[in-house]
Amino acid sequence: MNTLPILAPAYPSTLPVLAFSTYTTSLYPQTPVISQSLGFCSPKSLGTLPQSRSSIKSPSSLYPAEPQISDADDYEDDDEDDDVAADEYYDISGDVLEGVEQSDDETETPIAATEAPTLHEESKWQRVEKLCNEVRDFGEYIIDADELASIYDFRIDKFQRLAIQAFLRGSSVVVSAPTSSGKTLIAEAAAVATVARRRRIFYTTPLKALSNQKFREFRETFGDSNVGLLTGDSAVNKDAQVLIMTTEILRNMLYQSVGMVSSDSGLFHVDVIVLDEVHYLSDISRGTVWEEIVIYCPKEVQLICLSATVANPDELAGWIGQIHGKTELVTSSKRPVPLTWHFSMKTTLLPLLDEKGTQLNRKLSLNYLQLYASGVKSYKDDGSRRRNSKKRGSNMSYDSVDSMPESPLSKNDINTIRRSQVPQVIDTLWQLKAKDMLPAIWFIFSRKGCDAAVQYLEDCNLLDECEMSEVKLALKRFRIKYPDAVRETAIKGLLQGAAAHHAGCLPLWKSFVEELFQRGLVKVVFATETLAAGINMPARTAVISSLTKRSDSGRTQLSSNELLQMAGRAGRRGTDERGHVVLVQTPYEGAEECCKLLFTGVEPLVSQFTASYGMVLNLLAGAKVTSRSNEANEMKSVKAGRTLEEARKLVERSFGNYVGSNVMLAAKDELTKIEKEIEMLTLEVSDEAIDRKSRKLLSEVAYTEIADLQEDLRVEKRLRTELRKRVEAQRIAALKPLLMEFENGHLPFLCLQYKDSEGVQHSLPAVYLGKVDSLNGSKLKNMVFAEDSFALNVVGTESSVNDLEMDRDVEPSYYVALGSDNTWYLFTEKWIKTMYRTGLPNVALAQGDALPREIMRMLLDKEEMKWEKLTASEFGCLWCMEASLETWSWSLNVPVLNSLSESDELLHMSEPYCEAVDRYKEQRNKVARLKKRIARTQGFKEYKKIIDMTKLTEEKIKRLKARSKRLTNRIEQIEPSGWKEFLLISNVIHEIRALDINTHVIFPLGETAAAIRGENEIWLAMILRNKILLGLKPAQLAAACASLVSEGIKVRPWKNNSYIYEPSSTVINLVKFLDDQRTSLLQLQEKHGVNIPCCLDSQFSGMVEAWASGLSWREMMMDCAMDEGDLARLLRRTIDILAQIPKLPDIDPLLQTNAKIASNVMDRPPISELAG
């Protein structure tokens, strides 16, 4: 069943003439296809196969059967080398790396030189049917890797063959291979073998969209009658041999058996379960589901786990092998289409890396760009540069780029260079078009950014007349089929060849965009990162607009796995010789940051196993409370529950515990050794140890002289430290009245100064806005006083400073300023290097206008308050926050530091401060003179050897501490906590009378909660069992359910949110009533240390009530402040919970009837999941 049959017709006239254009497969999207649409046709095989595919061993070759198999066994293990980028994700130079040889079975061999393949005239599903008939006639023994490979019109890769062979040996299989390498083919081959044996296979995906996609693809292979689909609210052919579902559906099915005394695989009658995208195991919110499936799955069921490349696939395979049974690991480090990395700037598109692919392209270094911008040609260009680089050698590291012989660039210099090189969308697009790198997927990490990019390109036509007419025809058919699903604001861009793809779009519209893109009728898709999560939409180029994205905790950097997942969308198998990944210059990141992240390497899978109410209830539940007619209080046992000890054994089989029992023990052993070595080395660098060595090495006279001078030096250094603190205190005391004086006057310029973590000093010009205390009613003031992270816990100063009797004067306060780099800075007096008389006049530009200070305060208050800490000290911290475009013009009026006059510096006017500075300088000179006296002593030469050795030892201690910190972080990551949470949740369940954890008797509330799918099952069960719901009409019931699942749904901040339907008064009163129950549950959870959200938000309930009352989609979306995709997602969530109600135990029949009515009314286009 195709989602969009209107797109089925192919247009051969627009396809390029390719020798291999008739090869196709619905499941292997990288292979050449005759039509790039969801409408499939029966392929006709040519006499020869394309010769760009690597050959494999002949069918008679034997493959190793060890538990771990890899097609890169001849390669050295270099996971520890952070300087070498993972070669599975790109091939920079295009050549084989030095020292790496291809095995015979990996070399490129023309098909004609090997055994001639059998020619197939049938379509794939006909070949599958033929194989099934042969198995029926001759038996299962004829199924082997060659038979399964024969259903494809191309030679399968080695890792695919190895995985198929492992599966046919009866093992479970873990496959770790790069994105878009063809892992799904392995699952499809396993499905063919399973169907031929007349058994069943379950295929799970993390996303409903992926489930629907696999459903369509597998029906093309196996026919409609053999493939089924299970989602939370729909079931299609649920008894089919191949059943597609989301992982949560399978987990809940497994709960039905795990609660029994013994698991019975007959419950499923399945041979195989495929866990696609198993690297989701690391997902914080959903990773537990994957672990539960592996833990609860009957051992006689084979598991096929498909993962993107991760750092620890051996740990995953080892864990599954330990708790489930024989498991073999198959890894691949080869991409079928190698990637080339580029970097886009305002005027040019350059390779990101050098010719060897081991370090940054020198033309992208900051110093080179600085010289280029100033029009100066680097004297190191050409021959001299190459000679120098040869002398220094080649280090495979991002930071080994040749640097100019100049002082380190300040943050202001770096930002200036970066801003000058930021390209517009149109700049990068024409760079791609000029180099024939379209079509492209362009990742932008906000919906608004995606839509704005499409609008920006509305006047740039990327299609020819023929292509445009095809788009118009497809759009016309789509409008006829789904009139409400058309995104009117996107049509103009679509007709130019550009489209947006994000969660704000309707699923039907996104499928339409995907269809056009696959047919080559959309040249660039602007998408959020969700598009990288397994959706079948390969492109020639992937553009990644930024290395950072906004999150709830502020702006966060992409992980290396996220970067490589998006990059994996580039390169279409059978169409492109190379894929291209383009990273883009931004005001915040340049090529050096891109290169650093690229060379970081892939991250390991980390267990996110956490207990839930559903887990605890299903594992511990035993007897049900049933009333007899004559003995109302007696209990009848229906089944025996697990004891806490039995439940603990299950919970402790988590991936985190497995890693802990292996990796963590080794890490702890190493950590213990490191700590002992640090302790020993610390003793060697102590004053006593240095003194002891000096006595032994020096003569009595020389030792006495140096010892006396060293003691004098320590005394003088202590005094220097005290005087430095006095300077700080006097500077704060001098700045306070100056800052107070300018609270209502003009806006003076400041120089903020700090050192970053690498010791580089940054000087930042800024314009002063005011003291945080004076910003009455502002979000910033409320945040600073409310959050502990902004507390000023000043360390007490020495007595010499306290004697100044100005404690109040040296107590720091927070101030705010706008930097020249368009960044807000929150700081104390500690970080102000100096303050100037000059500044921006606080005068309105025109009569009636607000004053500049008021305008800037208003702009500051509009920010989201996502502050990041730059540095800290005993006198408070320095924070920064990216400002908005509205403040850009203000930041441009902040002058550079060298244009500000020293005579305008106000600190020089403070006599106490100047006096403190002079005394500190005098003491500093005194310390320097003492050091010179020590250097002229008789035994200093020998003493210096001791000091040099001490410094080397201190460096070693520093390295060991860094290693210790990394190990500690790793241990914290893998420290299992599932059982502790399990016990805490069981206490809540016991007290709320859902389950008696002593007798394992489950009460009606627990029965209902155990059968629900949701974030907080107890909370949902409490609501659905409440008799107050019985008085609701179906539409009101839908609105009430929506209030339970609306978490994460937002209004569009750039629109007026008054255009949202309000819920009826009945629903509003109901939500108010339920809020008291919610408060009680939250208090109970807090009492027992449980933190599971209880969602209750009626903000969008009116929209759901309107839809359930029969309003049309057009009426719903008219001037609506919600994105279409958000509303559709909320409606689908509501339908999901409504569809569960009729299946839940001990729910009133009237409520079940109303839920069915509401669900049926709501499940209509354009949000119908199975529409079309």
Side-chain angles (χ1 to χ4, degrees), residues 285-440:
S285 60
R286 299 177 62 202
T288 300
V289 178
W290 278 261
E291 295 194 53
E292 286 188 271
I293 288 174
V294 175
I295 292 170
Y296 306 150
C297 184
K299 291 190 175 183
E300 51 267 38
V301 176
Q302 283 181 269
L303 293 175
I304 297 178
C305 303
L306 308 177
S307 170
T309 304
V310 292
N312 58 339
D314 52 333
E315 291 180 357
L316 177 63
W319 169 62
I320 296 174
Q322 184 181 88
I323 68 170
H324 184 74
K326 183 182 177 184
T327 302
E328 300 185 43
L329 171 63
V330 178
T331 63
S332 175
S333 59
K334 294 293 184 183
R335 279 187 54 89
V337 181
L339 295 183
T340 302
W341 295 78
H342 309 268
F343 192 75
S344 174
M345 295 183 294
K346 190 173 185 63
T347 58
T348 185
L349 181 70
L350 293 174
L352 177 64
L353 305 178
D354 63 4
E355 294 83 356
K356 294 182 179 180
T358 57
Q359 60 186 26
L360 179 68
N361 181 354
R362 65 184 178 85
K363 291 186 177 181
L364 294 173
S365 68
L366 286 168
N367 287 303
Y368 189 96
L369 292 175
Q370 184 183 36
L371 290 174
Y372 178 80
S374 64
V376 179
K377 181 177 176 64
S378 170
Y379 69 88
K380 284 194 173 184
D381 277 349
D382 304 321
S384 62
R385 181 63 172 265
R386 290 194 292 270
R387 287 193 296 273
N388 289 339
S389 65
K390 288 179 181 178
K391 292 177 183 178
R392 284 188 295 270
S394 176
N395 294 322
M396 301 174 73
S397 171
Y398 71 90
D399 57 1
S400 61
V401 183
D402 295 327
S403 57
M404 302 300 173
E406 296 164 359
S407 59
L409 295 171
S410 68
K411 183 178 179 180
N412 194 51
D413 293 334
I414 292 172
N415 289 335
T416 301
I417 294 171
R418 285 175 174 168
R419 285 199 299 268
S420 68
Q421 295 295 331
V422 175
Q424 298 292 329
V425 171
I426 192 67
D427 298 328
T428 301
L429 182 64
W430 291 129
Q431 291 166 6
L432 300 182
K433 188 172 177 64
K435 293 181 179 292
D436 193 25
M437 291 167 63
L438 297 177

Side-chain angles (χ1 to χ4, degrees), residues 545-841:
S545 63
S546 173
L547 295 187
T548 58
K549 57 182 178 180
R550 286 192 179 275
S551 66
D552 293 338
S553 57
R555 184 171 287 276
T556 58
Q557 188 179 60
L558 296 177
S559 68
S560 57
N561 283 16
E562 289 173 324
L563 174 69
L564 297 171
Q565 183 85 7
M566 288 183 280
R569 293 295 109 195
R572 297 164 297 177
R573 190 169 189 168
T575 302
D576 302 319
E577 292 185 3
R578 303 189 74 83
H580 302 278
V581 185
V582 178
L583 302 172
V584 182
Q585 174 74 60
T586 74
Y588 315 106
E589 311 115 8
E592 292 174 335
E593 287 78 12
C594 296
C595 204
K596 181 177 181 179
L597 181 59
L598 182 58
F599 282 122
T600 300
V602 292
E603 298 172 340
L605 287 176
V606 178
S607 174
Q608 302 294 346
F609 190 85
T610 53
S612 65
Y613 287 115
M615 179 193 298
V616 176
L617 287 166
N618 281 285
L619 290 185
L620 294 182
K624 296 180 181 178
V625 174
T626 58
S627 299
R628 296 179 178 178
S629 58
N630 57 344
E631 297 180 26
N633 294 326
E634 283 197 23
M635 301 173 189
K636 182 173 71 179
S637 178
V638 177
K639 65 176 182 179
R642 296 178 187 272
T643 65
L644 278 176
E645 186 58 33
E646 289 171 334
R648 179 171 187 160
K649 288 180 180 177
L650 270 178
V651 172
E652 289 186 344
R653 296 168 73 185
S654 70
F655 180 55
N657 271 339
Y658 170 81
V659 173
S661 64
N662 293 278
V663 178
M664 191 166 68
L665 289 177
K668 284 185 174 179
D669 287 342
E670 185 178 355
L671 188 59
T672 302
K673 292 177 183 177
I674 289 174
E675 288 174 349
K676 287 182 179 179
E677 188 173 359
I678 290 175
E679 186 179 349
M680 291 175 57
L681 293 175
T682 303
L683 292 175
E684 291 183 18
V685 298
S686 65
D687 290 342
E688 293 79 5
I690 295 174
D691 185 70
R692 191 167 53 251
K693 292 175 184 176
S694 300
R695 281 181 182 273
K696 185 176 180 180
L697 192 62
L698 303 177
S699 66
E700 184 68 25
V701 175
Y703 168 76
T704 303
E705 183 183 13
I706 289 181
D708 291 342
L709 290 173
Q710 282 289 354
E711 182 59 33
D712 292 342
L713 181 62
R714 278 190 284 270
V715 172
E716 298 301 335
K717 281 185 174 180
R718 282 196 294 269
L719 180 56
R720 183 185 64 180
T721 301
E722 292 176 10
L723 291 173
R724 183 168 64 241
K725 290 181 178 179
R726 176 177 291 193
V727 169
E728 290 292 339
Q730 288 288 3
R731 191 157 59 85
I732 292 175
L735 283 169
K736 274 185 175 293
L738 293 174
L739 293 165
M740 189 63 66
E741 179 184 340
F742 287 107
E743 279 296 314
N744 298 312
H746 74 281
L747 287 74
F749 299 129
L750 304 173
C751 174
L752 302 176
Q753 191 172 79
Y754 76 100
K755 286 186 179 181
D756 61 22
S757 57
E758 297 178 356
V760 178
Q761 184 165 284
H762 299 279
S763 297
L764 311 166
V767 59
Y768 175 64
L769 180 57
K771 190 177 181 180
V772 171
D773 290 359
S774 67
L775 304 178
N776 294 325
S778 71
K779 289 194 296 184
L780 177 59
K781 182 178 179 180
N782 295 336
M783 182 191 70
V784 168
F785 282 91
E787 296 187 17
D788 293 339
S789 56
F790 292 94
L792 291 170
N793 300 316
V794 181
V795 178
T797 55
E798 299 293 335
S799 58
S800 59
V801 177
N802 289 335
D803 289 342
L804 294 172
E805 296 182 356
M806 54 177 186
D807 291 345
R808 290 186 179 180
D809 291 339
V810 299
E811 183 179 341
S813 302
Y814 272 119
Y815 304 87
V816 66
L818 179 67
S820 62
D821 55 353
N822 198 34
T823 299
W824 290 107
Y825 290 97
L826 180 65
F827 54 92
T828 61
E829 297 89 347
K830 157 71 179 176
W831 309 107
I832 302 176
K833 180 187 178 185
T834 190
M835 192 170 180
Y836 297 90
R837 301 173 191 270
T838 53
L840 299 179

Side-chain angles (χ1 to χ4, degrees), residues 67 69-70 159-160 162-163 166 173-177 328-332:
I69 308 171
S70 172
F159 86 93
Q160 295 167 333
L162 292 173
V173 187
V174 172
V175 181
S176 176
E328 300 185 43
L329 171 63
V330 178
T331 63
S332 175

Side-chain angles (χ1 to χ4, degrees), residues 138-151:
F138 303 107
E140 295 181 11
Y141 73 91
I142 71 167
I143 300 177
D144 59 19
D146 292 326
E147 284 291 338
L148 295 175
S150 68
I151 68 173

Side-chain angles (χ1 to χ4, degrees), residues 757-954:
S757 57
E758 297 178 356
V760 178
Q761 184 165 284
H762 299 279
S763 297
L764 311 166
V767 59
Y768 175 64
L769 180 57
K771 190 177 181 180
V772 171
D773 290 359
S774 67
L775 304 178
N776 294 325
S778 71
K779 289 194 296 184
L780 177 59
K781 182 178 179 180
N782 295 336
M783 182 191 70
V784 168
F785 282 91
E787 296 187 17
D788 293 339
S789 56
F790 292 94
L792 291 170
N793 300 316
V794 181
V795 178
T797 55
E798 299 293 335
S799 58
S800 59
V801 177
N802 289 335
D803 289 342
L804 294 172
E805 296 182 356
M806 54 177 186
D807 291 345
R808 290 186 179 180
D809 291 339
V810 299
E811 183 179 341
S813 302
Y814 272 119
Y815 304 87
V816 66
L818 179 67
S820 62
D821 55 353
N822 198 34
T823 299
W824 290 107
Y825 290 97
L826 180 65
F827 54 92
T828 61
E829 297 89 347
K830 157 71 179 176
W831 309 107
I832 302 176
K833 180 187 178 185
T834 190
M835 192 170 180
Y836 297 90
R837 301 173 191 270
T838 53
L840 299 179
N842 192 32
V843 179
L845 293 178
Q847 190 173 2
D849 286 356
L851 297 176
R853 189 185 301 276
E854 297 304 317
I855 295 174
M856 290 180 66
R857 286 182 175 181
M858 180 187 65
L859 293 175
L860 173 63
D861 209 41
K862 289 171 64 176
E863 302 286 359
E864 294 184 32
M865 297 297 134
K866 303 293 186 182
W867 293 93
E868 299 175 19
K869 187 185 293 186
L870 280 176
T871 188
S873 81
E874 60 183 9
F875 290 98
C877 305
L878 174 63
W879 303 76
C880 70
M881 176 180 67
E882 176 191 344
S884 65
L885 287 174
E886 294 175 279
T887 60
W888 191 264
S889 59
W890 295 93
S891 68
L892 292 176
N893 287 308
V894 179
V896 295
L897 291 174
N898 58 13
S899 67
L900 294 169
S901 173
E902 289 186 10
S903 61
D904 288 329
E905 294 185 23
L906 296 173
L907 269 179
H908 294 325
M909 298 175 62
S910 171
E911 290 186 10
Y913 171 71
C914 293
E915 181 184 343
V917 171
D918 291 340
R919 288 195 60 190
Y920 171 70
K921 289 180 178 179
E922 182 182 340
Q923 184 62 25
R924 191 175 59 184
N925 292 335
K926 193 172 183 180
V927 169
R929 288 194 296 270
L930 261 177
K931 287 181 178 180
K932 289 180 179 179
R933 281 187 62 189
I934 293 173
R936 291 195 295 266
T937 57
Q938 180 182 352
F940 177 73
K941 188 175 182 180
E942 289 75 16
Y943 179 75
K944 187 174 183 302
K945 292 179 182 178
I946 298 173
I947 298 301
D948 289 343
M949 288 300 297
T950 301
K951 288 181 179 178
L952 290 174
T953 305
E954 288 173 343

Side-chain angles (χ1 to χ4, degrees), residues 963-979:
R963 173 63 177 162
S964 174
K965 185 177 180 180
R966 289 195 298 270
L967 283 172
T968 302
N969 291 338
R970 174 64 168 151
I971 290 171
E972 288 174 355
Q973 279 185 317
I974 62 180
E975 189 79 49
S977 59
W979 180 244

